[in-house]
Amino acid sequence: MSVSLLNQNYNGITYNPLNPFTINQTLLWKGDLDSLTFDQNTIKAKLLNLNQPCYIVSVNGQVGVTQEGYVITTTDSNSDNIKLIAISNPVGLENLGDRNFCHHHGVNYAYMTGAMAGGIASEEMIITLGKAKILGSFGAGGLSPDRLETAIKRIQGELPQGPYAFNLIHSPNEPSIEQRAVELYLQYGVQTVEASAFLDLTANIVRYRVAGLTLNSANQIEIHNKVIAKVSRREVATKFLQPAPPRILKELVQQGFISEQQAQLAAYVPMADDITVEADSGGHTDNRPLVCLLPSMVALRDEIQAQYNYTNPVRIGVAGGIATPQSSLAGFMMGAAYVVTGSVNQACLESGSCQHTKKLLAQAEMADVMMAPAADMFEMGVKLQVLKRGTLFPMRSQKLYELYRTYNSIEEIPLPEREKLEKQIFRKPLSEIWELTVSYLSQRNPEKLAKAVNNPKLKMALIFRWYLGLSSRWSNSGEVGRETDYQIWCGPAMGSFNDWVRHTYLAEPQNRHVVDVANHIMLGTAYLYRIQNLKMQGLQLNNFYTQYYPTTSTLEVCG
Ligand SMILES: Cc1cc2nc3c(=O)[nH]c(=O)nc-3n(C[C@H](O)[C@H](O)[C@H](O)COP(=O)(O)O)c2cc1C
C-alpha cells in the first residue's frame, strides 16, 4: 500500500489516508480558520503548548494544526468541511504517573530526586525543590548525627509544610548510626523517609513506620510516617510490600518504642507507601536493566496487593538511568507511578559536590562510568558505580582491593609495592595512615578497632578504607591537589543527560538548576507522550517533532 503525501507544503507531518485511525470521515473540525497553522515551527510551538488540545486537520491536502475550535460529527463523507485527522487532549504533567503520588506527598508532579550521600543532595537542593513543590530526599548517608540534626532544622524551617524527605540508609557496620537517624526523624516529626540499602527489615525502619500509625475517630488507620523504599531485588521489595513482621513488632512493644495498638494496626498496612525500583544507577547498584526490573516489581506488587487488599496499594516508581524525557516516558509507560533522578542532580548548582566535580560530570559520556570498590563494604567485594573520566579513583581503589585479596597483612605486601602505595595513593607512610585510622575509629567504632588490633587482614582493610572514605569527601569539599583521586558516584544517566542537552544552555554546569532540570524532563515527557499519541493515530512526524530540547529556562515561568 502506498502512502500519499497529502501535505503539499511539506511541514514534516504526513498521514496515511487509508488508516482507519486517521481518516474518520465523520469527524470534522469547526472554528476560526485564522487559527490554523501550517508552518513547522509554529506547529511545534502549538504541540508544545501542553495545556491546550491540538487538532490536526487536513485542508486542501495540507496538514494544519490548531488549538482552537471544536469537533463535530457528520454522516456526509463528502463534506467540504475541514477534516480532523488526529486529536491530542491537553497533557497535564500531574497526569503522568500516579496522581496519588502527587496528592500523598503534596507535590506538583510524580518526580522525585533521590538521596545523595554526604549532603550531595544538600539542604539547598531539597529546599529549592520543595519550594517548587518537587520532592527531594536529603543525602543523610555518611553524615554525623549532629550534622543531620542541623539539616533537619534548616529544611523544616524553610519548608514547614514540606515537601521533603530524608534518607534512612541501612548501615550494617554501624547500626547505631541508623538508630540515631530514626530517633532524630521521630523527634523532629520528619514525615517522609527514603529507606535504602536494606537487605532485610530492621527494628529501626519498623519503629519509624509503626510509631506513626494512629486510629482516627472514623476508625481508619492514619499513616503519619511515610516510607519510600528504594530496592533493586524482589526479595527486599517483598518485605516492604508486606506488613511489619510480628517478631520485630513484639520487640518494639517490649522496648516501649511503639504501643500495643500500633503493633496491631501495623498488620493492616504495608511497610512502605512507595517502592522505588532502582535499575542501573550511580552509586550502589545491582546494574539491572530498567526494562526487565520494573515489570517484575509491578507484577510482584499486584500479587501482594491481591493477598492483603490494602486500602492504598503501594505505588511502584523507578530510578536508574532516568535523565531524559525519553527515559522518563519509558518508565511511565511501563507503569511507574513516579520517576526518580539521581546522577543528573549531582551536576546541578545546588548539589554539595565541588565545581571541579560538576565540570567533570558535565563532560561525561555514557560509557565514562565503571564499577569500583565501595568503602562501606570493601572487604565483601561490594562495588559501586563511579565516574572514570578525569579521575584515577576507580583504578586506584581496584588496585587496593586486589592487594587486599592477595595478601594477609600490610607487611606481606612486597616493599616496592608498598612504597608505590605510599607515594601515589596515600601520600603518607602507611604507619601514619594507621594512626589516623586509630584516632578516627576510637571515637566512631571502638569495637571495630579492637578487632583490628589482632587481625592484620582487617587492619589492612581499614587502612585501605581511609582512602576510599576520604576520596568521596574530597570530591565534595574540592580538596585541591587531590582531583585525580575524587570518588564521584555516577551512573550512565549522566552521559545520557549530557547527550540530550549538548547543544543547549544546559550544557554548561553553571546553568543547571535542579528545578529547571526536573521541569524540562517532565515537560519533555509530556510532550513526547503527545507525539506518541499522535503517532498511534497514524500520523507520521519527522524528527523535528519527535525530539524535545530544553531551549530556555523554565524558572521564570514556573517560579
Ligand atoms: C552521587 C550519588 C550519591 C548517592 N547516594 C545515595 C545515598 O546516599 N542513598 C541512596 O538511597 N541513594 C543514593 N544514590 C542513588 C540516588 O538516590 C538515585 O537513586 C540514583 O542515582 C538514581 O539513578 P541514576 O544515578 O541513574 O539517576 C546516590 C547517587 C549518586 C549519583
Side-chain angles (χ1 to χ4, degrees):
M1 184 197 300
S2 69
V3 175
S4 69
L5 276 182
L6 290 185
N7 211 357
Q8 283 152 9
N9 288 344
Y10 184 62
N11 55 23
I13 308 180
T14 58
Y15 69 97
N16 178 353
L18 298 178
N19 187 322
F21 284 103
T22 58
I23 287 289
N24 185 342
Q25 297 290 354
T26 60
L27 286 184
L28 302 175
W29 175 82
K30 287 265 184 202
D32 180 357
L33 292 181
D34 288 342
S35 71
L36 287 167
T37 300
F38 298 91
D39 153 74
Q40 196 167 250
N41 287 311
T42 354
I43 288 179
K44 185 150 185 188
K46 283 195 160 49
L47 291 169
L48 279 165
N49 184 4
L50 296 160
N51 296 324
Q52 299 295 321
C54 270
Y55 304 104
I56 321 295
V57 299
S58 158
V59 187
N60 302 326
Q62 282 191 63
V63 173
V65 174
T66 174
Q67 300 203 284
E68 294 173 24
Y70 56 96
V71 177
I72 58 162
T73 54
T74 177
T75 48
D76 175 10
S77 60
N78 295 319
S79 166
D80 288 338
N81 283 313
I82 295 177
K83 293 190 177 71
L84 184 81
I85 51 177
I87 186 168
S88 165
N89 288 327
V91 192
L93 299 196
E94 69 283 2
N95 291 326
L96 292 167
D98 190 335
R99 283 190 85 145
N100 287 328
F101 180 88
C102 303
H103 178 70
H104 193 76
H105 296 288
V107 293
N108 284 344
Y109 47 62
Y111 174 105
M112 88 174 262
T113 66
M116 293 186 283
I120 297 177
S122 62
E123 285 99 325
E124 197 188 343
M125 183 180 285
I126 307 312
I127 292 166
T128 313
L129 287 162
K131 287 190 171 162
K133 291 263 169 266
I134 301 169
L135 184 62
S137 174
F138 178 76
L143 297 182
S144 70
D146 287 350
R147 173 72 184 81
L148 177 56
E149 189 169 14
T150 308
I152 296 173
K153 285 184 188 162
R154 179 155 169 228
I155 291 173
Q156 290 190 329
E158 297 268 356
L159 298 170
Q161 309 302 325
Y164 59 82
F166 278 82
N167 192 204
L168 177 68
I169 193 154
H170 176 48
S171 40
N173 295 326
E174 288 177 287
S176 62
I177 290 278
E178 188 183 314
Q179 184 182 334
R180 189 71 194 112
V182 164
E183 284 164 3
L184 286 170
Y185 296 153
L186 292 174
Q187 179 187 342
Y188 284 93
V190 168
Q191 290 188 351
T192 310
V193 148
E194 184 194 23
S196 52
F198 283 84
L199 303 170
D200 199 348
L201 296 175
T202 63
N204 294 316
I205 181 67
V206 175
R207 176 181 170 194
Y208 173 79
R209 177 68 163 172
V210 179
L213 298 180
T214 56
L215 203 57
N216 68 18
S217 53
N219 244 6
Q220 291 158 332
I221 300 175
E222 289 188 355
I223 301 172
H224 299 282
N225 293 343
K226 298 171 206 150
V227 172
I228 302 172
K230 193 155 60 189
V231 305
S232 52
R233 296 185 183 187
R234 277 172 68 96
E235 22 341 331
V236 184
T238 303
K239 313 252 177 194
F240 280 98
L241 285 163
Q242 289 175 333
R247 176 185 56 79
I248 298 183
L249 291 170
K250 202 170 151 198
E251 276 168 30
L252 291 171
V253 172
Q254 278 163 2
Q255 290 163 325
F257 288 142
I258 57 168
S259 68
E260 279 282 0
Q261 188 197 43
Q262 285 172 325
Q264 282 161 15
L265 299 181
Y268 300 95
V269 295
M271 268 301 296
D273 307 274
D274 298 280
I275 290 188
T276 304
V277 171
E278 189 166 64
D280 192 19
S281 72
H284 287 281
T285 178
D286 281 339
N287 309 100
R288 305 274 161 97
L290 183 153
V291 289
C292 304
L293 195 57
L294 182 59
S296 161
M297 294 287 200
V298 169
L300 179 68
R301 185 273 316 273
D302 293 347
E303 257 172 50
I304 297 181
Q305 172 64 24
Q307 195 182 338
Y308 289 94
N309 204 16
Y310 300 123
T311 319
N312 299 309
V314 180
R315 290 171 293 265
I316 304 290
V318 71
I322 306 293
T324 58
Q326 285 88 344
S327 49
S328 156
L329 181 65
F332 286 125
M333 290 299 99
M334 285 169 65
Y338 59 100
V339 292
V340 180
T341 54
S343 292
V344 297
N345 303 312
Q346 187 179 196
C348 289
L349 287 165
E350 297 86 352
S351 103
S353 296
C354 73
Q355 287 306 325
H356 182 78
T357 292
K358 289 176 192 176
K359 219 168 126 201
L360 290 181
L361 288 168
Q363 291 163 357
E365 304 265 349
M366 216 170 321
D368 289 336
V369 289
M370 68 179 279
M371 299 302 286
D376 49 356
M377 289 180 262
F378 177 74
E379 297 96 309
M380 290 154 72
V382 173
K383 292 185 167 189
L384 39 66
Q385 193 146 232
V386 295
L387 185 69
K388 69 174 179 200
R389 184 177 182 173
T391 159
L392 296 174
F393 170 80
M395 309 305 162
R396 290 181 168 171
S397 57
Q398 188 57 36
K399 174 78 192 165
L400 293 179
Y401 184 65
E402 280 160 18
L403 292 173
Y404 173 75
R405 289 276 312 264
T406 314
Y407 302 104
N408 288 314
S409 68
I410 290 283
E411 292 70 29
E412 250 187 39
I413 303 174
L415 192 59
E417 195 75 77
R418 255 189 296 171
E419 283 173 352
K420 225 157 79 186
L421 290 185
E422 293 183 331
K423 197 161 165 246
Q424 290 178 349
I425 302 187
F426 290 93
R427 300 194 195 168
K428 284 184 199 334
L430 293 177
S431 55
E432 206 177 301
I433 302 292
W434 175 239
E435 279 166 29
L436 293 167
T437 308
V438 168
S439 88
Y440 173 78
L441 282 181
S442 52
Q443 302 289 320
R444 188 136 173 177
N445 197 342
E447 299 87 37
K448 188 124 211 170
L449 183 59
K451 277 189 205 154
V453 171
N454 298 317
N455 183 341
K457 185 122 185 162
L458 178 59
K459 181 176 165 184
M460 174 167 55
L462 293 176
I463 289 176
F464 290 174
R465 277 168 62 170
W466 175 92
Y467 175 76
L468 275 91
L470 277 184
S471 49
S472 52
R473 291 201 210 144
W474 292 332
S475 160
N476 295 348
S477 65
E479 182 82 7
V480 177
R482 274 294 190 176
E483 289 83 353
T484 49
D485 291 295
Y486 285 4
Q487 177 183 170
I488 305 168
W489 302 311
C490 177
M494 193 71 251
S496 167
F497 179 85
N498 290 336
D499 283 343
W500 174 42
V501 302
R502 178 150 294 120
H503 302 295
T504 77
Y505 72 100
L506 285 179
E508 292 300 326
Q510 67 268 23
N511 292 337
R512 295 184 183 183
H513 292 268
V514 74
V515 170
D516 193 34
V517 165
N519 285 340
H520 274 305
I521 291 177
M522 289 299 280
L523 283 167
T525 305
Y527 174 76
L528 293 187
Y529 174 80
R530 168 168 269 177
I531 295 303
Q532 291 303 324
N533 184 263
L534 291 171
K535 283 170 95 177
M536 289 302 290
Q537 295 172 57
L539 283 196
Q540 290 174 22
L541 299 109
N542 73 9
N543 55 12
F544 175 76
Y545 298 103
T546 54
Q547 294 294 336
Y548 172 92
Y549 292 109
T551 48
T552 51
S553 169
T554 60
L555 296 180
E556 292 78 37
V557 185
C558 300

